[in-house]
Amino acid sequence: MTGSVPLVRRLAKAYVIPHWRNLVLAMALMLVAAAMTGSMAKLMEPIIDKVFTAKDSTMLWPVAIGVLVVFALRGTATYGYSVMMNTMGQQVVSDINRDMFAHLVYADLAYFHGSQSGQLLSRFISDTAMVRSAVIESLTGAGKNTFTVIALIGVMFYQDWRLALASIFVFPLEALFVGRLGRKLRKVSTSMQVETGDLSSMLNQSFQGNRHVKSYGMEEYEKTRINRIIDNIFRLMNKSFRVSAVAAPVSEVLSGLAIVTIVVYGGHQVISGVSTAGKLFSFITAFLLAFEPMKRLAKLNNVMQMGLAAIDRLFKMLDTKPAICDKPGAAVLNVASPVVTFENVGFTYPDGSEALRGVSFEVPAGKTVALVGESGAGKSTILNLIPRFYDVTSGAIKISGQDVRDVTLASLRKNMA
């Protein structure tokens, strides 16, 4: 979890805090919804003691109106914060998508050659969808469920603090157990996103190269290749479901133990006349209402871990700095007499394949030169080196006597025909 803290801090600072007004208003509405949930539990006491047990007819309409007001306020507040949080989540994703495209549009050509298009598309579509879910679920879940649990535990302690202490042991146990599951889910999510990107890339290659696939009778090979990735995704998805599903039986056992404690101790208090049926029913209602948001809080870690795995990949891409950039004090290219000169140029691609070695020639201004050679001889490489899509490994390329590495990229590429 230590590696998660910088990711959360960076995500919050860059993309969440700029929308703080919406966040503050949404949190205020969550407080209203949580308070109304606590009021629902508290209203059980007069309903049982005054209306059902004492048969006090004067309390019937006040209690009924109170229930209606509580439900109306909770529903309105829930609608408000849900809309605001979903809007903010989509704003965060839109901001990330803009930053990613702005980063990639200036990235080196080598970066695109070294990255599968399917993986890049997966960052924009799949990873950002996970980030949106993580932002919405974590902020909404953390806010609403935390406020709700606090309000309901407050009702429990107000009704019977001893019984409250005896029954809330399940909450920290649940959080501890599900928290450990979240770490496993993050690893599975990372592997699943890699496989999804590979599938997208291979499908793109297969569809675009369909003519070659048919020409060489490679249909079965392509089927085997795609099926292997589909099987891997199926396996990882099943593993994710199994890890998530483990929480359910553990939660049921823990809640069962807590309910037994409440029934035995609370029932004894009612029978001995220390407490009333209304207080006990109000306590049980508060506990049951608190248990669900507590489980959601515990499971929230799973969603956050999957979202953090996605944001980690996105940030790594955004942190990749272009190798081709202006050096300090770069001059503007002067093209009064555009003579192109290659001086003992050598170039090796990032994968280690050598494309050029000791190439020297000069193209005078106003002349046309044809590059002739077999496929892979380096013709395209020469053309890519002039506008600095790549930098030479050795030697120099000059235009009108100016090394292309000493001039600004904007002036260099502006003058390319």
Side-chain angles (χ1 to χ4, degrees):
M1 290 294 291
T2 54
S4 301
V5 175
L7 287 176
V8 172
R9 187 183 297 119
R10 181 176 175 182
L11 178 64
K13 183 179 179 180
Y15 298 107
V16 177
I17 292 178
H19 307 291
W20 65 270
R21 290 182 179 84
N22 286 344
L23 182 60
V24 170
L25 185 54
M27 288 293 179
L29 291 172
M30 290 178 198
L31 274 171
V32 173
M36 293 304 101
T37 304
S39 300
M40 287 167 53
K42 186 67 179 71
L43 279 171
M44 291 299 105
E45 182 179 356
I47 289 174
I48 298 298
D49 288 343
K50 302 294 184 181
V51 178
F52 293 158
T53 303
K55 296 181 174 55
D56 186 352
S57 60
T58 61
M59 289 295 296
L60 184 60
W61 279 107
V63 169
I65 293 172
V67 170
L68 181 61
V69 170
V70 164
F71 273 86
L73 286 174
R74 191 173 80 144
T76 304
T78 300
Y79 170 79
Y81 75 68
S82 297
V83 170
M84 299 192 72
M85 291 307 301
N86 277 278
T87 300
M88 195 182 78
Q90 190 56 51
Q91 287 175 330
V92 167
V93 169
S94 298
D95 292 343
I96 292 174
N97 277 335
R98 290 190 191 97
D99 287 351
M100 285 197 301
F101 185 77
H103 177 78
L104 287 175
V105 79
Y106 290 106
D108 297 332
L109 196 62
Y111 181 82
F112 289 99
H113 285 173
S115 304
Q116 295 179 340
S117 59
Q119 290 288 357
L120 295 178
L121 289 173
S122 178
R123 298 292 175 271
F124 276 89
I125 298 172
S126 182
D127 282 358
T128 53
M130 279 195 167
V131 173
R132 180 177 58 245
S133 296
V135 169
I136 294 172
E137 292 293 330
S138 60
L139 292 178
T140 304
K144 176 200 169 186
N145 293 323
T146 300
F147 296 151
T148 302
V149 168
I150 291 173
L152 291 169
I153 289 179
V155 172
M156 291 166 61
F157 273 90
Y158 178 82
Q159 298 293 24
D160 192 326
W161 65 270
R162 294 183 183 84
L163 186 55
L165 288 176
S167 60
I168 63 174
F169 69 91
V170 298
F171 296 153
L173 290 178
E174 171 98 10
L176 180 64
F177 177 76
V178 179
R180 295 184 63 182
L181 294 182
R183 289 190 288 272
K184 294 182 179 179
L185 275 177
R186 182 171 178 177
K187 294 179 181 177
V188 175
S189 175
T190 301
S191 300
M192 195 160 52
Q193 288 305 301
V194 171
E195 293 289 346
T196 301
D198 288 342
L199 176 62
S200 177
S201 181
M202 287 189 179
L203 287 173
N204 185 49
Q205 293 172 14
S206 182
F207 295 154
Q208 288 188 348
N210 187 258
R211 180 182 299 176
H212 296 88
V213 171
K214 292 184 178 300
S215 298
Y216 293 99
M218 299 290 288
E219 289 90 347
E220 288 301 320
Y221 172 78
E222 289 297 307
K223 280 175 57 180
T224 302
R225 196 166 66 126
I226 296 298
N227 286 341
R228 183 171 63 251
I229 297 183
I230 292 174
D231 289 341
N232 287 340
I233 294 175
F234 174 79
R235 177 180 55 81
L236 289 169
M237 287 293 291
N238 270 348
K239 186 174 182 180
S240 173
F241 294 148
R242 286 197 302 270
V243 171
S244 299
V246 170
V250 174
S251 297
E252 293 303 321
V253 171
L254 290 175
S255 60
L257 289 173
I259 291 295
V260 167
T261 302
I262 294 170
V263 170
V264 172
Y265 178 83
H268 177 74
Q269 294 289 87
V270 173
I271 292 171
S272 61
V274 176
S275 183
T276 66
K279 278 192 173 184
L280 179 60
F281 197 80
S282 175
F283 186 96
I284 293 174
T285 302
F287 176 83
L288 293 176
L289 289 174
F291 195 70
E292 281 305 315
M294 192 64 220
K295 285 199 295 185
R296 287 194 291 270
L297 276 175
K299 291 179 181 178
L300 184 62
N301 184 58
N302 300 347
V303 178
M304 289 183 63
Q305 291 302 322
M306 295 175 74
L308 287 173
I311 199 64
D312 186 34
R313 289 188 294 273
L314 297 179
F315 283 160
K316 283 179 180 176
M317 186 185 74
L318 289 172
D319 290 339
T320 303
K321 303 298 182 184
I324 310 297
C325 56
D326 292 341
K327 64 168 54 176
V332 176
L333 177 64
N334 181 5
V335 291
S337 178
V339 178
V340 179
T341 306
F342 273 59
E343 296 180 353
N344 199 31
V345 170
F347 178 73
T348 302
Y349 282 101
D351 63 2
S353 58
E354 187 179 40
L356 301 175
R357 181 192 301 169
V359 175
S360 297
F361 64 87
E362 183 175 282
V363 182
K367 297 294 182 179
T368 300
V369 173
L371 300 177
V372 181
E374 62 184 11
S375 179
K379 302 183 298 296
S380 298
T381 301
I382 288 174
L383 293 178
N384 285 332
L385 289 174
I386 296 173
R388 285 191 72 197
F389 293 150
Y390 297 94
D391 270 340
V392 299
T393 306
S394 60
I397 299 174
K398 296 181 179 179
I399 298 177
S400 301
Q402 294 176 278
D403 193 318
V404 295
R405 292 169 293 185
D406 295 333
V407 300
T408 64
L409 284 171
S411 64
L412 173 65
R413 293 173 181 172
K414 181 181 179 180
N415 287 282
M416 290 295 138

